[in-house]
Amino acid sequence: MATNATPSDNFDGHDQSTDSEPDWESVARDALVQLFFSRKSDLQGSLGTIESRIGTLSDSELTAEHIKQFRRDFYDVQRLVEEDIVPLVDGVEPYEDATLNLSYGRLAEGLDVRWDDVAELPRKSEIEANEEGDDADE
């Protein structure tokens, strides 16, 4: 691929010199490169928006929607790396804590519980203190 080429310049995976079957590994890698390029562009756009709006010369405000869009774009890049690229690389373990990118509300929603119910549960330290008190009474 040429230095200034875009990921779609050689996307079909066919060997142009013969009329043979496409090299499916090459097709998959080219598709992955194209997807990565797209995700990277989205993330760069979100970062640029944040950067321009927090600058001292900016007349525009940074909004919650800008931050939400950045988080979506960031998570899309991370998910692409963890789900599609990491399995191709020897010696790299998948990131296990992908749920750290979720807000507590989204995590509760994914677990099919209400956040208010979770917030009312006793804390680990409270449970341990009660257990220690029960042991002392025996």
Side-chain angles (χ1 to χ4, degrees):
M1 197 179 302
T3 308
N4 294 330
T6 62
S8 61
D9 288 347
N10 184 25
F11 189 67
D12 65 3
H14 274 88
D15 181 352
Q16 301 299 324
S17 62
T18 66
D19 206 14
S20 64
E21 282 290 312
D23 174 5
W24 292 113
E25 181 179 348
S26 177
V27 170
R29 286 180 176 269
D30 286 346
L32 190 56
V33 166
Q34 190 171 30
L35 187 57
F36 189 82
F37 182 81
S38 173
R39 296 287 191 261
K40 180 180 79 168
S41 295
D42 292 345
L43 183 58
Q44 285 173 328
S46 292
L47 284 169
T49 297
I50 291 173
E51 179 181 33
S52 68
R53 289 171 188 263
I54 61 173
T56 56
L57 301 177
S58 177
D59 292 335
S60 303
E61 287 198 26
L62 186 62
T63 66
E65 187 53 41
H66 294 126
I67 299 300
K68 289 176 184 176
Q69 184 62 50
F70 165 77
R71 286 177 171 169
R72 284 190 295 266
D73 294 341
F74 180 81
Y75 181 69
D76 286 346
V77 170
Q78 184 181 28
R79 191 175 63 225
L80 176 68
V81 168
E82 296 303 328
E83 293 178 3
D84 297 320
I85 297 175
V86 166
L88 303 174
V89 181
D90 291 335
V92 178
E93 293 296 320
Y95 182 63
E96 296 177 17
D97 295 326
T99 57
L100 292 177
N101 293 314
L102 299 176
S103 67
Y104 289 126
R106 291 278 186 197
L107 186 56
E109 183 180 300
L111 296 172
D112 198 25
V113 296
R114 288 185 18 201
W115 175 244
D116 293 339
D117 294 340
V118 173
E120 293 172 5
L121 292 173
R123 301 289 171 245
K124 181 179 177 185
S125 59
E126 294 171 3
I127 294 170
E128 289 171 349
N130 287 339
E131 288 174 353
E132 288 174 10
D134 291 344
D135 290 342
D137 292 339
E138 292 176 4

